[in-house]
Amino acid sequence: MEKDFEPLKTRLREINKLLDLDEQAYFGPLVEKFSGDTSEFQRIMRDLGKFGPKISDGSKFEVYREVQHLFHNAAPKK
């Protein structure tokens, strides 16, 4: 069953806006092409780790948890 990852992609787009332009050019296409595959998600999470404090004004670990929950709790497509 297909899942709706649009809430996750929306959050990742918000995070992408916080990055430097060269990082946006790299990360943006990963977000837009994301199909829900676990290996794609792992790559996105690894990259979020590389961006570190740029992804949040608060705790970056809170952002990681939020993104993981959005991935795991994606609703089935209607």
Side-chain angles (χ1 to χ4, degrees):
M1 181 184 322
E2 296 263 332
K3 290 191 169 189
D4 181 13
F5 290 102
E6 201 53 41
L8 171 63
K9 290 172 106 176
T10 299
R11 181 63 177 115
L12 291 173
R13 288 180 190 118
E14 293 169 1
I15 292 169
N16 191 46
K17 291 177 186 176
L18 301 172
L19 304 176
D20 298 335
L21 291 178
D22 58 330
E23 292 168 334
Q24 287 180 15
Y26 167 77
F27 192 66
L30 293 178
V31 173
E32 297 308 319
K33 294 178 184 177
F34 180 69
S35 67
D37 187 68
T38 301
S39 63
E40 290 177 299
F41 180 71
Q42 289 171 336
R43 180 175 180 186
I44 285 171
M45 290 302 289
R46 184 184 69 233
D47 290 340
L48 287 178
K50 290 179 186 177
F51 300 142
K54 295 178 185 177
I55 65 172
S56 173
D57 291 337
S59 169
K60 64 183 176 184
F61 297 107
E62 188 175 314
V63 174
Y64 298 156
R65 281 192 304 272
E66 177 188 5
V67 169
Q68 285 178 324
H69 287 305
L70 287 169
F71 176 72
H72 291 294
N73 297 330
K77 283 188 177 178
K78 295 180 180 178

